[in-house]
Amino acid sequence: MAIRVDILTLFPEMFDIFNQSIIGKAKEKEIVSINTWNIRDYTKDKHRKVDDYPYGGGAGMVMAAQPVVDCIRKVKDQNRGKIIFLGPRGKTFNQELAKELSTEEELVFLCGHYEGIDERIYKHIDMEVSLGDFVLTGGEMACIPVVDSILRLVPGVLASSESFTEESFYSGALEYPHYTRPAVFEGDAVPEVLMSGHHENVRKWRRAQSLNITRERRPDLFEKLELSDEDKKILNKFI
Ligand SMILES: C[S@@+](CC[C@H](N)C(=O)[O-])C[C@H]1O[C@@H](n2cnc3c(N)ncnc32)[C@H](O)[C@@H]1O
């Protein structure tokens, strides 16, 4: 097994999505394993409650420490990986972090709900990761794209590692444009270089497009790129 992921959630059924498509196939091939844990199964409350009113008042409910911490302890018997909480106060997730986490053998994700989790749960968390500067209804909504982007980088999940090494963000730039048949669609022709069969020119054209798109759409990323002499030359030649 290349990587084991355990997800602690109040809504395990939301992760059925991982039975589909590329991740579903990777599970079948036993390259990845994804296990969900229902936090509610760990509550000691006789009504199976997992949340309570916030001390100090205010809107909403707070996920109580007891069921979450007991669930974390149980998972730790089987998975020694980092405990990652999906929450808006965390480090913003990006491809670099996806790459870093894809090299781990085991990872644990904790999904919050309601107004959030009791602050004392943080003692048991190694890292908080946010999907961006907006508020979601639950950590599950963030956990799905985060886990998906990590797992597709695990060797064997995609057919070829080229599928992701040339993609947006992997090398710090956005991806070049793609075309498929027909060669002309509603009067719009595919760039000639792509049909020339000249692999070196195709490579250079794609690199130039990738750099130019990044410069136009994400100047913040472009500024961080270290352009080689060839990059500077092809930018002038193709753009
Ligand atoms: C309604 S939100 C709670 C928001 C919280 N009251 C706040 O203002 O920061 C419920 C849960 O969704 C998850 N969540 C919300 N926004 C998120 C984001 N941007 N990234 C990751 N998880 C998020 C967290 O697990 C959070 O505990």
Side-chain angles (χ1 to χ4, degrees):
M1 182 63 61
I3 186 166
R4 174 184 169 135
V5 168
D6 288 82
I7 302 168
L8 284 61
T9 170
L10 289 172
F11 299 93
E13 60 284 0
M14 287 178 81
F15 295 94
D16 289 352
I17 199 164
F18 286 133
N19 294 330
Q20 310 291 321
S21 182
I22 292 167
I23 304 300
K25 288 205 182 80
K27 279 173 72 180
E28 277 169 23
K29 285 193 270 174
E30 299 190 353
I31 302 168
V32 309
S33 104
I34 303 173
N35 312 286
T36 52
W37 299 71
N38 192 337
I39 296 167
R40 199 175 294 279
D41 291 342
Y42 296 86
T43 181
K44 289 184 175 144
D45 181 85
K46 60 175 187 263
H47 303 295
R48 292 193 22 101
K49 261 177 57 158
V50 287
D51 58 337
D52 216 327
Y53 294 98
Y55 276 115
M61 302 294 274
V62 176
M63 275 175 80
Q66 178 274 314
V68 176
V69 170
D70 280 0
C71 188
I72 290 175
R73 288 196 176 118
K74 196 78 191 162
V75 172
K76 275 186 150 181
D77 290 343
Q78 295 182 29
N79 184 327
R80 308 298 299 164
K82 288 192 178 75
I83 313 273
I84 303 169
F85 174 59
L86 285 311
R89 300 197 297 204
K91 177 183 163 82
T92 306
F93 191 69
N94 60 19
Q95 190 70 8
E96 209 179 311
L97 191 51
K99 252 194 265 180
E100 194 184 309
L101 294 174
S102 72
T103 63
E104 301 279 333
E105 286 177 7
E106 297 181 316
L107 291 170
V108 178
F109 292 91
L110 170 65
C111 305
H113 228 86
Y114 314 120
E115 274 316 307
I117 57 171
D118 187 305
E119 195 67 21
R120 291 163 292 187
I121 298 172
Y122 274 92
K123 249 188 237 160
H124 303 268
I125 289 167
D126 299 309
M127 184 193 292
E128 180 168 353
V129 168
S130 166
L131 206 59
D133 293 344
F134 42 80
V135 177
L136 297 162
T137 50
E140 293 76 12
M141 296 293 186
C143 190
I144 290 168
V146 165
V147 168
D148 180 69
S149 64
I150 293 168
L151 294 186
R152 68 195 293 283
L153 300 180
V154 171
V157 171
L158 296 183
S160 142
S161 64
E162 249 180 54
S163 318
F164 59 75
T165 54
E166 295 210 347
E167 276 181 332
S168 297
F169 309 115
Y170 197 87
S171 61
L174 301 178
E175 200 185 35
Y176 51 79
H178 295 286
Y179 296 88
T180 185
R181 287 189 293 177
V184 181
F185 175 70
E186 296 185 347
D188 211 351
V190 171
E192 237 164 70
V193 61
L194 296 180
M195 296 188 292
S196 66
H198 193 302
H199 297 302
E200 187 54 10
N201 281 352
V202 170
R203 183 190 67 78
K204 287 181 179 165
W205 180 87
R206 285 180 166 163
R207 177 70 180 158
Q209 291 294 321
S210 162
L211 292 174
N212 193 45
I213 288 171
T214 311
R215 182 168 56 187
E216 280 179 3
R217 301 186 194 175
R218 291 292 303 274
D220 57 317
L221 292 180
F222 188 76
E223 245 174 56
K224 289 187 207 144
L225 290 175
E226 281 180 26
L227 298 187
S228 65
D229 289 343
E230 185 193 67
D231 286 339
K232 290 174 196 156
K233 232 188 269 167
I234 57 178
L235 256 175
N236 286 333
K237 183 174 170 197
F238 288 98
I239 305 296

